[in-house]
């Protein structure tokens, strides 16, 4: 009986140790991209409904990983805090959870580019306002726009692609969130304006998945 209990305790220790350490197997690298699983907030649902129409994971945010002598941190254009440097642990603790773990898929550029240049460009945008207008070249940034503008190839061209933006859901309806937002801004909804979004960006051929936290 005692031997059986000891075996069970040993097995539990192994399982718990594996579970607790699973998140630590990812080693951040400059330029990695963190794609965040959509949650149930109004903006998250509006973004996911307009950009994720299949059964794949629905993303509503993407952020840039940076590493220096003091450790890892995030550079992101956040609807809550504009373009800023975010501490690593704070970011992990404040994304939606999947199976009790951070809902993050990590992707890495699999073609030649300079992550150091991408980080330097991203840093130059810190302090800019979040781009609620979702329009290019207006001195503001939304999350995937920040990545698009900072990730360049050796010739200075963009690694990622734009496409005509869509704000409607899969049934063709315009969610109230968007109509109310752009009415409050006094602007037309930029339907069809070239832009980016986390779902399309996550599927770009220049990226490969390297880790899932969940």
């Amino acid at each position: 009986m005692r031997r059986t209990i000891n075996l069970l305790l040993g097995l539990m220790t192994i399982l718990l140790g594996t579970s607790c350490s699973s998140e630590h197997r990812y080693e951040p690298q400059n330029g990695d991209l963190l794609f965040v699983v959509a949650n149930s907030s109004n903006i998250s649902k509006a973004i996911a409904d307009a950009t994720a129409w299949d059964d794949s994971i629905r993303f509503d945010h993407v952020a840039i990983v940076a590493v220096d002598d003091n450790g890892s941190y995030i550079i992101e254009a956040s609807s809550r805090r504009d373009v800023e440097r975010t501490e690593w642990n704070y970011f992990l603790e404040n994304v939606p959870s999947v199976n009790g773990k951070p809902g993050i898929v990590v992707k890495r550029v699999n073609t030649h580019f300079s992550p150091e240049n991408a980080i330097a460009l991203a840093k130059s945008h810190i302090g800019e306002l979040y781009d609620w207008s979702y329009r290019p070249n207006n001195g503001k940034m939304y999350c995937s726009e920040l990545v698009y503008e900072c990730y360049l190839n050796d010739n200075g061209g963009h690694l990622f692609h734009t496409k005509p933006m869509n704000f409607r859901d899969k049934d063709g309806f315009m969610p109230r969130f968007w109509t109310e937002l752009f009415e409050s801004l006094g602007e037309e909804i930029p339907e069809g304006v070239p832009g980016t979004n986390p779902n399309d960006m996550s599927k770009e051929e220049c990226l490969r998945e390297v880790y899932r936290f969940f």
Side-chain angles (χ1 to χ4, degrees):
M1 182 67 175
R2 179 176 297 176
R3 182 179 180 182
T4 301
I5 292 174
N6 287 338
L7 287 172
L8 289 172
L9 289 173
L11 179 60
M12 288 176 65
T13 300
I14 293 172
L15 291 174
L16 288 172
T18 302
S19 175
C20 292
S21 64
S22 62
E23 292 178 11
H24 301 292
R25 282 178 279 170
Y26 166 61
E27 295 192 11
Q29 291 190 17
N30 264 331
D32 283 353
L33 293 174
L34 306 183
F35 289 89
V36 180
V37 176
N39 61 26
S40 58
S41 68
N42 288 337
I43 183 174
S44 177
K45 186 175 187 303
I47 292 172
D49 285 349
T51 61
W53 291 4
D54 54 27
D55 293 329
S56 62
I57 298 175
R58 296 154 60 96
F59 299 115
D60 73 337
H61 187 56
V62 58
I64 300 169
V65 175
V67 182
D68 61 20
D69 292 339
N70 295 316
S72 306
Y73 59 96
I74 308 300
I75 303 174
E76 60 176 335
S78 165
S79 61
R80 294 173 297 173
R81 298 180 305 278
D82 302 322
V83 182
E84 69 166 8
R85 169 180 172 145
T86 304
E87 294 307 312
W88 179 261
N89 288 336
Y90 179 89
F91 186 85
L92 293 185
E93 291 168 359
N94 285 275
V95 297
S97 63
V98 177
N99 299 325
K101 299 178 181 179
I104 297 172
V105 175
V106 185
K107 298 206 172 188
R108 184 170 294 159
V109 175
N110 61 12
T111 189
H112 188 268
F113 92 118
S114 170
E116 290 74 24
N117 286 348
I119 298 302
L121 284 171
K123 286 181 177 178
S124 72
H125 291 286
I126 291 176
E128 292 181 7
L129 297 177
Y130 184 79
D131 187 6
W132 287 105
S133 298
Y134 297 97
R135 286 177 167 82
N137 305 317
N138 61 357
K140 305 174 185 179
M141 287 285 169
Y142 58 89
C143 67
S144 57
E145 182 184 20
L146 179 65
V147 176
Y148 172 80
E149 293 294 347
C150 296
Y151 281 58
L152 307 176
N153 59 32
D154 292 340
N155 297 319
H158 296 284
L159 287 184
F160 299 103
H161 300 87
T162 62
K163 61 185 296 186
M165 287 191 292
N166 170 71
F167 289 81
R168 299 179 182 274
D169 63 23
K170 64 181 179 181
D171 296 318
F173 294 106
M174 184 65 68
R176 179 180 295 179
F177 177 86
W178 297 124
T179 58
E180 291 181 350
L181 169 63
F182 286 99
E183 283 177 4
S184 71
L185 295 173
E187 300 176 2
E188 296 291 328
I189 297 174
E191 186 86 0
V193 173
T196 60
N197 66 75
N199 281 298
D200 287 338
M201 185 171 281
S202 71
K203 298 179 176 66
E204 292 260 14
E205 291 183 358
C206 65
L207 293 177
R208 64 183 176 90
E209 183 176 323
V210 295
Y211 192 76
R212 291 191 183 195
F213 279 79
F214 54 90

